[in-house]
Amino acid sequence: MRTDFAGRRAPLFWLALKTGLFTVLTLGIYRFWMKTRLRRWYWSAIRPGGQPLEYVGDPIEKLLGFLIAVVILAFYIGIVNLLLMFLSFSLFQGNGAAYLLSFLGVIPLWFYARYRARRYILARTRWRGLRFGLAPGAWGYAGRALWHWTVTLLSLGLLLPRMTFHLEKYRTDRTSYGTAMMVQGGRWQMLYPAMRPLFGAAALTGVAALALNFGPTPAPGIGLAMLAAAAAVYGLVHYRVRTLEMLTANKTLDGVALTLDASPFRILMIHVLGYLLAGVAILLPLMVLGFVIMGLHFAELATESGATQIVLLENLPRWLLIGVSAMLYFTIFLIWSALTHTFVTMPVTRHYARGLRVLNPARIEAIRQRPRDEVVQAEGFAEALDVGASI
């Protein structure tokens, strides 16, 4: 069973621009409606077997969950930071230790929030009328994520595949579609081939360091360092895409299997060219506006009397200048958000969707509906910590 993607750029651009404008006009309150409408657009565009996904999330759930999470986080962070600051000044005569410990204390909440956001999204996603779901386990995920990240950092990244596999297995083995539970098969060692470009980038980095320290001139070392940086960027994208393919190929759902065909180079080019196009679309009008203002400035300076010098800006009320500046800033922000949806998020989603295949789809007919998960607080913690802002 193939998967199609039916979305087009123009409707998405205007939807993102319009909902972004409403978000600014309501001082951010419409953000929850904006995200809901954008998700419904993306979900309806992804069509496995010609039948679209359905997103049934409620903006009110998101708003209430966000308000509850903000109150809890404000109390937690306020009390914890107060105690840490007291201890830091008492023991170390400074606040540096308090800031460091405060940052480290938020990391578990970040993993906790990501898991809860994923659970809410799956609980509000349907296909062929059946609900997806994710079992509770946010704190378990946060603890495992902290452990695996610590081990990965201590191994200088050599155990990155181990972390990738075990965290994905924890999430996948708790994911359900209707009454069927998903299972992540395979072993973590199978992900090591995806590390080859990263190993190459590490080798180039070592050669660049030798050339910079012992070479007759720094030019070759600088060139090798730039090449190593480019190789590292591609290596990260390659690792992400290839591990996603391998993990997807080893997932099963009550006899149903999946395959994914994606190109790391294509994903990288979508990001590079997409952000480049968005940046050019933003900068060109600003450059034109800047040249116009400079032209008026020099034209006024060229007059003999100078009576009209900078009259255009000097005589405007201060509140109007602030208002125009704020409008210009938010206009740039809104257009950038709409353009990145159009040239980055949508093409990446389309590429992954069209590469997805469902094997043995006849087994889906035996799957039945599951009870609805309430998921109290929705994505509140993810919104408050700004890790749930993505589609």
Side-chain angles (χ1 to χ4, degrees), residues 85-102:
M85 199 66 67
F86 173 77
L87 293 175
S88 180
F89 275 105
S90 300
L91 300 176
F92 303 103
Q93 287 75 47
N95 57 6
Y99 287 135
L100 177 60
L101 292 175
S102 178

Side-chain angles (χ1 to χ4, degrees), residues 22-285:
F22 291 158
T23 300
V24 172
L25 294 178
T26 58
L27 302 179
I29 296 177
Y30 194 80
R31 171 185 178 177
F32 308 98
W33 282 260
M34 175 187 71
K35 184 183 294 187
T36 300
R37 294 182 63 180
L38 286 171
R39 280 183 181 161
R40 287 174 181 169
W41 188 95
Y42 279 104
W43 266 235
S44 64
I46 302 172
R47 302 180 177 183
Q51 302 188 48
L53 296 175
E54 183 183 4
Y55 180 71
V56 294
D58 186 358
I60 298 295
E61 288 181 331
K62 296 184 179 65
L63 176 59
L64 294 178
F66 171 76
L67 295 176
I68 294 172
V70 165
V71 172
I72 295 174
L73 287 174
F75 177 79
Y76 167 77
I77 294 175
I79 296 297
V80 169
N81 281 353
L82 184 62
L83 293 174
L84 289 176
M85 199 66 67
F86 173 77
L87 293 175
S88 180
F89 275 105
S90 300
L91 300 176
F92 303 103
Q93 287 75 47
N95 57 6
Y99 287 135
L100 177 60
L101 292 175
S102 178
F103 171 74
L104 294 176
V106 172
I107 293 178
L109 294 177
W110 189 79
F111 292 120
Y112 171 85
R114 287 180 63 88
Y115 187 92
R116 287 186 62 91
R118 183 187 181 102
R119 186 181 176 212
Y120 175 78
I121 292 172
L122 285 173
R124 298 298 180 261
T125 298
R126 297 178 183 177
W127 181 57
R128 300 175 61 164
L130 300 182
R131 302 183 185 96
F132 288 85
L134 182 64
W139 284 119
Y141 177 78
R144 286 167 173 81
L146 286 173
W147 164 250
H148 285 297
W149 268 105
T150 301
V151 171
T152 301
L153 292 174
L154 292 175
S155 68
L156 301 180
L158 292 176
L159 292 179
L160 177 60
R162 181 176 181 271
M163 178 183 71
T164 302
F165 177 82
H166 284 292
L167 291 182
E168 181 62 22
K169 182 173 177 59
Y170 183 86
R171 294 188 297 256
T172 301
D173 291 349
R174 286 160 177 77
T175 300
S176 61
Y177 171 64
T179 54
M181 294 297 297
M182 189 172 285
V183 177
Q184 178 65 63
R187 303 171 67 244
W188 66 270
Q189 291 87 346
M190 71 182 184
L191 303 182
Y192 265 112
M195 292 275 288
R196 289 170 185 166
L198 288 175
F199 290 145
L204 276 175
T205 302
V207 174
L210 291 174
L212 285 171
N213 290 321
F214 303 105
T217 60
I222 294 174
L224 286 172
M226 295 175 63
L227 183 61
V233 172
Y234 174 76
L236 290 173
V237 176
H238 182 274
Y239 177 80
R240 170 60 181 156
V241 175
R242 292 298 181 223
T243 55
L244 187 59
E245 287 181 331
M246 297 177 197
L247 291 168
T248 301
N250 284 274
K251 286 179 169 63
T252 56
L253 179 79
D254 196 19
V256 181
L258 303 170
T259 62
L260 179 65
D261 182 19
S263 168
F265 182 76
R266 179 78 177 274
I267 294 295
L268 178 61
M269 287 297 99
I270 288 174
H271 281 84
V272 172
L273 296 178
Y275 283 119
L276 182 62
L277 285 172
V280 169
I282 292 292
L283 289 177
L284 280 180

Side-chain angles (χ1 to χ4, degrees), residues 369-380:
Q369 184 64 288
R370 70 187 306 276
R372 185 178 187 270
D373 291 331
E374 292 303 325
V375 194
V376 180
Q377 298 173 4
E379 299 172 272

